[in-house]
mmCIF file of all heavy atoms in Angstrom:
data_model
loop_
_atom_site.group_PDB
_atom_site.id
_atom_site.type_symbol
_atom_site.label_atom_id
_atom_site.label_comp_id
_atom_site.label_asym_id
_atom_site.label_seq_id
_atom_site.Cartn_x
_atom_site.Cartn_y
_atom_site.Cartn_z
ATOM 1 N N ALA A 1 -9.354 -1.184 -0.681
ATOM 2 C CA ALA A 1 -10.098 -1.986 0.340
ATOM 3 C C ALA A 1 -9.346 -3.124 0.952
ATOM 4 O O ALA A 1 -9.824 -3.750 1.897
ATOM 5 C CB ALA A 1 -11.366 -2.504 -0.396
ATOM 6 N N SER A 2 -8.170 -3.361 0.348
ATOM 7 C CA SER A 2 -7.264 -4.400 0.936
ATOM 8 C C SER A 2 -5.789 -3.991 0.834
ATOM 9 O O SER A 2 -5.530 -2.946 0.170
ATOM 10 C CB SER A 2 -7.516 -5.730 0.240
ATOM 11 O OG SER A 2 -7.194 -5.534 -1.157
ATOM 12 N N THR A 3 -4.934 -4.775 1.390
ATOM 13 C CA THR A 3 -3.510 -4.476 1.379
ATOM 14 C C THR A 3 -3.083 -4.643 -0.109
ATOM 15 O O THR A 3 -3.448 -5.557 -0.778
ATOM 16 C CB THR A 3 -2.705 -5.372 2.234
ATOM 17 O OG1 THR A 3 -3.202 -5.176 3.594
ATOM 18 C CG2 THR A 3 -1.268 -5.095 2.207
ATOM 19 N N VAL A 4 -2.249 -3.704 -0.573
ATOM 20 C CA VAL A 4 -1.743 -3.716 -1.901
ATOM 21 C C VAL A 4 -0.300 -4.041 -1.908
ATOM 22 O O VAL A 4 0.522 -3.316 -1.238
ATOM 23 C CB VAL A 4 -1.952 -2.348 -2.696
ATOM 24 C CG1 VAL A 4 -1.373 -2.413 -4.077
ATOM 25 C CG2 VAL A 4 -3.401 -2.021 -2.749
ATOM 26 N N ALA A 5 0.153 -5.098 -2.618
ATOM 27 C CA ALA A 5 1.577 -5.505 -2.642
ATOM 28 C C ALA A 5 2.186 -5.116 -3.954
ATOM 29 O O ALA A 5 1.485 -5.106 -5.022
ATOM 30 C CB ALA A 5 1.674 -6.954 -2.465
ATOM 31 N N CYS A 6 3.540 -4.893 -3.961
ATOM 32 C CA CYS A 6 4.220 -4.616 -5.166
ATOM 33 C C CYS A 6 4.159 -5.871 -6.105
ATOM 34 O O CYS A 6 4.367 -6.982 -5.646
ATOM 35 C CB CYS A 6 5.688 -4.333 -4.843
ATOM 36 S SG CYS A 6 6.773 -4.075 -6.245
ATOM 37 N N ALA A 7 3.904 -5.622 -7.336
ATOM 38 C CA ALA A 7 3.785 -6.718 -8.296
ATOM 39 C C ALA A 7 5.125 -7.413 -8.590
ATOM 40 O O ALA A 7 5.186 -8.514 -9.036
ATOM 41 C CB ALA A 7 3.141 -6.202 -9.592
ATOM 42 N N VAL A 8 6.247 -6.691 -8.301
ATOM 43 C CA VAL A 8 7.543 -7.228 -8.575
ATOM 44 C C VAL A 8 8.138 -7.983 -7.420
ATOM 45 O O VAL A 8 8.525 -9.156 -7.541
ATOM 46 C CB VAL A 8 8.511 -6.113 -9.015
ATOM 47 C CG1 VAL A 8 9.917 -6.636 -9.238
ATOM 48 C CG2 VAL A 8 8.011 -5.485 -10.294
ATOM 49 N N CYS A 9 8.168 -7.360 -6.280
ATOM 50 C CA CYS A 9 8.842 -7.990 -5.115
ATOM 51 C C CYS A 9 7.971 -8.379 -3.977
ATOM 52 O O CYS A 9 8.378 -9.048 -3.032
ATOM 53 C CB CYS A 9 9.999 -7.052 -4.595
ATOM 54 S SG CYS A 9 9.302 -5.587 -3.730
ATOM 55 N N GLY A 10 6.659 -7.941 -3.995
ATOM 56 C CA GLY A 10 5.751 -8.324 -2.952
ATOM 57 C C GLY A 10 5.673 -7.424 -1.681
ATOM 58 O O GLY A 10 4.879 -7.775 -0.755
ATOM 59 N N THR A 11 6.492 -6.412 -1.614
ATOM 60 C CA THR A 11 6.510 -5.474 -0.524
ATOM 61 C C THR A 11 5.169 -4.787 -0.438
ATOM 62 O O THR A 11 4.598 -4.436 -1.468
ATOM 63 C CB THR A 11 7.640 -4.441 -0.657
ATOM 64 O OG1 THR A 11 8.881 -5.124 -0.692
ATOM 65 C CG2 THR A 11 7.620 -3.444 0.458
ATOM 66 N N THR A 12 4.659 -4.524 0.731
ATOM 67 C CA THR A 12 3.390 -3.827 0.917
ATOM 68 C C THR A 12 3.560 -2.398 0.521
ATOM 69 O O THR A 12 4.399 -1.689 1.028
ATOM 70 C CB THR A 12 2.930 -3.926 2.404
ATOM 71 O OG1 THR A 12 2.753 -5.313 2.723
ATOM 72 C CG2 THR A 12 1.622 -3.155 2.569
ATOM 73 N N LEU A 13 2.669 -1.922 -0.396
ATOM 74 C CA LEU A 13 2.654 -0.571 -0.850
ATOM 75 C C LEU A 13 1.583 0.288 -0.216
ATOM 76 O O LEU A 13 1.796 1.467 0.011
ATOM 77 C CB LEU A 13 2.451 -0.460 -2.404
ATOM 78 C CG LEU A 13 3.526 -1.099 -3.272
ATOM 79 C CD1 LEU A 13 3.131 -1.005 -4.740
ATOM 80 C CD2 LEU A 13 4.879 -0.426 -3.019
ATOM 81 N N ALA A 14 0.490 -0.346 0.140
ATOM 82 C CA ALA A 14 -0.620 0.367 0.781
ATOM 83 C C ALA A 14 -1.420 -0.502 1.667
ATOM 84 O O ALA A 14 -1.572 -1.683 1.442
ATOM 85 C CB ALA A 14 -1.517 0.997 -0.330
ATOM 86 N N HIS A 15 -1.967 0.107 2.746
ATOM 87 C CA HIS A 15 -2.810 -0.596 3.723
ATOM 88 C C HIS A 15 -4.215 0.022 3.666
ATOM 89 O O HIS A 15 -4.332 1.201 3.568
ATOM 90 C CB HIS A 15 -2.289 -0.436 5.165
ATOM 91 C CG HIS A 15 -0.962 -1.111 5.444
ATOM 92 N ND1 HIS A 15 -0.853 -2.448 5.584
ATOM 93 C CD2 HIS A 15 0.251 -0.593 5.479
ATOM 94 C CE1 HIS A 15 0.421 -2.738 5.811
ATOM 95 N NE2 HIS A 15 1.071 -1.648 5.787
ATOM 96 N N SER A 16 -5.244 -0.827 3.785
ATOM 97 C CA SER A 16 -6.602 -0.311 3.903
ATOM 98 C C SER A 16 -6.797 0.212 5.279
ATOM 99 O O SER A 16 -6.352 -0.332 6.273
ATOM 100 C CB SER A 16 -7.608 -1.448 3.623
ATOM 101 O OG SER A 16 -8.866 -1.053 3.931
ATOM 102 N N THR A 17 -7.578 1.382 5.404
ATOM 103 C CA THR A 17 -7.845 1.914 6.740
ATOM 104 C C THR A 17 -9.370 2.052 6.868
ATOM 105 O O THR A 17 -9.799 2.687 7.867
ATOM 106 C CB THR A 17 -7.152 3.323 6.861
ATOM 107 O OG1 THR A 17 -7.733 4.187 5.836
ATOM 108 C CG2 THR A 17 -5.702 3.233 6.737
ATOM 109 N N GLY A 18 -10.137 1.627 5.924
ATOM 110 C CA GLY A 18 -11.585 1.844 5.928
ATOM 111 C C GLY A 18 -12.021 3.181 5.284
ATOM 112 O O GLY A 18 -13.196 3.470 5.142
ATOM 113 N N GLY A 19 -10.973 3.897 4.903
ATOM 114 C CA GLY A 19 -11.205 5.189 4.131
ATOM 115 C C GLY A 19 -10.079 5.325 3.202
ATOM 116 O O GLY A 19 -9.779 4.422 2.359
ATOM 117 N N ASP A 20 -9.366 6.403 3.261
ATOM 118 C CA ASP A 20 -8.196 6.620 2.458
ATOM 119 C C ASP A 20 -7.087 5.619 2.864
ATOM 120 O O ASP A 20 -6.827 5.440 4.046
ATOM 121 C CB ASP A 20 -7.579 8.045 2.538
ATOM 122 C CG ASP A 20 -8.523 8.988 1.901
ATOM 123 O OD1 ASP A 20 -9.364 8.634 0.974
ATOM 124 O OD2 ASP A 20 -8.468 10.233 2.297
ATOM 125 N N ALA A 21 -6.424 4.977 1.924
ATOM 126 C CA ALA A 21 -5.343 4.021 2.220
ATOM 127 C C ALA A 21 -4.061 4.801 2.713
ATOM 128 O O ALA A 21 -3.892 5.988 2.425
ATOM 129 C CB ALA A 21 -4.967 3.263 0.963
ATOM 130 N N THR A 22 -3.309 4.055 3.515
ATOM 131 C CA THR A 22 -2.011 4.646 3.935
ATOM 132 C C THR A 22 -0.994 4.004 3.041
ATOM 133 O O THR A 22 -0.950 2.763 2.842
ATOM 134 C CB THR A 22 -1.724 4.333 5.415
ATOM 135 O OG1 THR A 22 -1.746 2.997 5.653
ATOM 136 C CG2 THR A 22 -2.692 5.080 6.346
ATOM 137 N N PHE A 23 -0.032 4.836 2.540
ATOM 138 C CA PHE A 23 0.959 4.316 1.577
ATOM 139 C C PHE A 23 2.329 4.116 2.283
ATOM 140 O O PHE A 23 2.711 4.969 3.074
ATOM 141 C CB PHE A 23 1.140 5.339 0.436
ATOM 142 C CG PHE A 23 -0.052 5.511 -0.438
ATOM 143 C CD1 PHE A 23 -0.831 6.672 -0.300
ATOM 144 C CD2 PHE A 23 -0.535 4.562 -1.242
ATOM 145 C CE1 PHE A 23 -2.030 6.866 -1.083
ATOM 146 C CE2 PHE A 23 -1.674 4.712 -2.052
ATOM 147 C CZ PHE A 23 -2.416 5.872 -1.937
ATOM 148 N N GLU A 24 2.926 2.975 1.977
ATOM 149 C CA GLU A 24 4.266 2.684 2.495
ATOM 150 C C GLU A 24 5.342 3.241 1.567
ATOM 151 O O GLU A 24 6.409 3.618 2.014
ATOM 152 C CB GLU A 24 4.436 1.130 2.664
ATOM 153 C CG GLU A 24 3.452 0.536 3.626
ATOM 154 C CD GLU A 24 3.652 1.036 5.072
ATOM 155 O OE1 GLU A 24 4.902 1.207 5.475
ATOM 156 O OE2 GLU A 24 2.719 1.184 5.794
ATOM 157 N N GLY A 25 5.030 3.224 0.293
ATOM 158 C CA GLY A 25 5.953 3.700 -0.700
ATOM 159 C C GLY A 25 5.810 5.227 -0.937
ATOM 160 O O GLY A 25 4.830 5.813 -0.433
ATOM 161 N N GLU A 26 6.660 5.781 -1.792
ATOM 162 C CA GLU A 26 6.586 7.185 -2.111
ATOM 163 C C GLU A 26 5.556 7.385 -3.159
ATOM 164 O O GLU A 26 5.523 6.787 -4.179
ATOM 165 C CB GLU A 26 7.955 7.664 -2.644
ATOM 166 C CG GLU A 26 7.982 9.091 -3.078
ATOM 167 C CD GLU A 26 9.299 9.503 -3.696
ATOM 168 O OE1 GLU A 26 10.226 8.626 -3.795
ATOM 169 O OE2 GLU A 26 9.376 10.639 -4.179
ATOM 170 N N VAL A 27 4.583 8.375 -2.918
ATOM 171 C CA VAL A 27 3.582 8.732 -3.903
ATOM 172 C C VAL A 27 4.242 9.726 -4.921
ATOM 173 O O VAL A 27 4.727 10.770 -4.575
ATOM 174 C CB VAL A 27 2.354 9.394 -3.287
ATOM 175 C CG1 VAL A 27 1.367 9.828 -4.328
ATOM 176 C CG2 VAL A 27 1.760 8.416 -2.260
#
């Protein structure tokens, strides 16, 4: 439901889209 940041470096891993999230990193 919100932007997810990497716990180590803070890079964005996922963005909320109102449905399924879009992933920046490799699943």
Side-chain angles (χ1 to χ4, degrees):
S2 60
T3 299
V4 179
C6 176
V8 175
C9 70
T11 298
T12 300
L13 295 179
H15 294 282
S16 172
T17 62
D20 291 337
T22 56
F23 297 107
E24 297 296 321
E26 176 186 358
V27 176

